[in-house]
């Protein structure tokens, strides 16, 4: 592989580390719970409710952001650590888990001027108890793969969402820019206890120099 012969091999490790550790099966449309296997094994109770799955996946994203940043900083090897900008339920480092489970919030982490990563960001966002507009509800309905017993999403239903995204621009021009995100969306009926949730996400490399062997390895591995 072309870029494996270049200096700063750890930049390659970053790209494939993040690709492997953020990979989640993506659904193009809402599906009924349970979807336990869609989280790469982190949820294994097929009887969990959509709300339970949302909470467990949100917790997974919170922990995964911390773990991912630690590994990127270690691979970068510089004294430049990720900054932290929290808001809402994550405004302070010592916010309680109870608050994080009831309020919206997020954490944006940014690194600049590293040995390997010229600039990068890893952002967590959790939105709770939003109200669907008519346009948003209609968009979801248009994409929903309806099954018997599923919630039919309507205007006024309550939604929550959690997402983790990452982008890494490396110093080495032979190492592509890496982008990835994973997310979960939960909708609860405003009139009863029914709910539906689904996952989404993906990852990609944006190369500055196209090398066929690198492209093939990324999509196979």
């Amino acid at each position: 592989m072309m870029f494996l012969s270049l200096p700063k091999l750890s930049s390659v490790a970053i790209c494939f580390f993040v690709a492997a550790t953020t990979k989640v099966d993506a659904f193009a449309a809402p599906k009924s719970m349970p979807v336990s296997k869609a989280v790469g094994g982190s949820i294994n109770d097929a009887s969990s409710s959509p709300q339970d799955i949302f909470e467990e996946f949100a917790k997974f994203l919170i922990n995964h952001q911390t773990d991912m940043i630690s590994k990127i900083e270690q691979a970068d090897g510089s004294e430049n650590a990720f900054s932290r900008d929290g808001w809402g339920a994550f405004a302070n480092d010592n916010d309680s888990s109870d608050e994080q489970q009831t309020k919206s919030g997020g954490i944006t982490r940014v690194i600049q001027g590293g040995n390997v990563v010229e600039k990068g960001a890893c952002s967590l966002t959790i939105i709770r108890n939003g109200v669907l507009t008519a346009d948003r509800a209609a968009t979801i309905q248009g994409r929903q793969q309806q099954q018997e017993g599923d919630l039919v999403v309507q205007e006024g239903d309550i939604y929550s969402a959690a997402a983790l995204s990452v982008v890494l621009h490396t110093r080495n021009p032979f190492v592509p820019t890496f982008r990835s995100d994973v997310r979960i969306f939960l909708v609860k009926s405003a009139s009863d206890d029914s709910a539906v949730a689904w996952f989404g996400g993906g990852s990609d490399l944006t190369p500055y120099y196209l090398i066929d062997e690198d492209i093939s390895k990324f999509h196979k591995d």
Side-chain angles (χ1 to χ4, degrees), residues 184-205:
I184 184 171
F185 200 79
L186 167 72
V187 178
K188 296 186 290 185
S189 171
S191 58
D192 56 39
D193 294 331
S194 59
V196 63
W198 62 96
F199 297 93
S203 59
D204 64 81
L205 297 177

Side-chain angles (χ1 to χ4, degrees), residues 42-201:
S42 64
I43 297 174
N44 52 30
D45 181 3
S47 64
S48 296
S49 70
Q51 182 70 52
D52 289 340
I53 291 176
F54 178 87
E55 296 301 339
E56 187 164 352
F57 192 67
K59 185 185 299 182
F60 165 78
L61 294 183
I62 294 170
N63 294 334
H64 196 58
Q65 183 189 39
T66 300
D67 184 58
M68 186 188 304
I69 286 172
S70 175
K71 288 181 170 63
I72 293 173
E73 288 178 342
Q74 183 179 6
D76 187 77
S78 71
E79 296 181 356
N80 296 326
F82 278 82
S83 63
R84 184 188 189 279
D85 182 15
W87 62 277
F90 301 91
N92 302 307
D93 285 330
N94 58 354
D95 286 331
S96 68
S97 58
D98 290 341
E99 186 175 39
Q100 293 173 5
Q101 291 182 2
T102 57
K103 296 182 179 180
S104 299
I107 308 172
T108 299
R109 306 291 302 272
V110 176
I111 185 172
Q112 299 185 69
N115 290 337
V116 175
V117 181
E118 184 174 23
K119 189 170 185 179
C122 183
S123 299
L124 168 76
T125 303
I126 298 178
I127 304 297
R128 296 182 181 277
N129 300 321
V131 179
L132 285 177
T133 63
D135 288 345
R136 179 67 66 84
T139 299
I140 295 174
Q141 287 179 17
R143 298 175 178 175
Q144 190 170 7
Q145 298 175 3
Q146 194 69 31
Q147 299 177 12
E148 184 178 356
D150 280 357
L151 166 68
V152 178
V153 176
Q154 304 287 340
E155 177 184 4
D157 286 346
I158 309 302
Y159 74 89
S160 296
L164 181 66
S165 62
V166 59
V167 57
L168 298 173
H169 300 278
T170 56
R171 288 193 176 277
N172 191 328
F174 286 96
V175 178
T177 291
F178 177 84
R179 296 181 180 85
S180 181
D181 74 277
V182 289
R183 56 193 177 273
I184 184 171
F185 200 79
L186 167 72
V187 178
K188 296 186 290 185
S189 171
S191 58
D192 56 39
D193 294 331
S194 59
V196 63
W198 62 96
F199 297 93

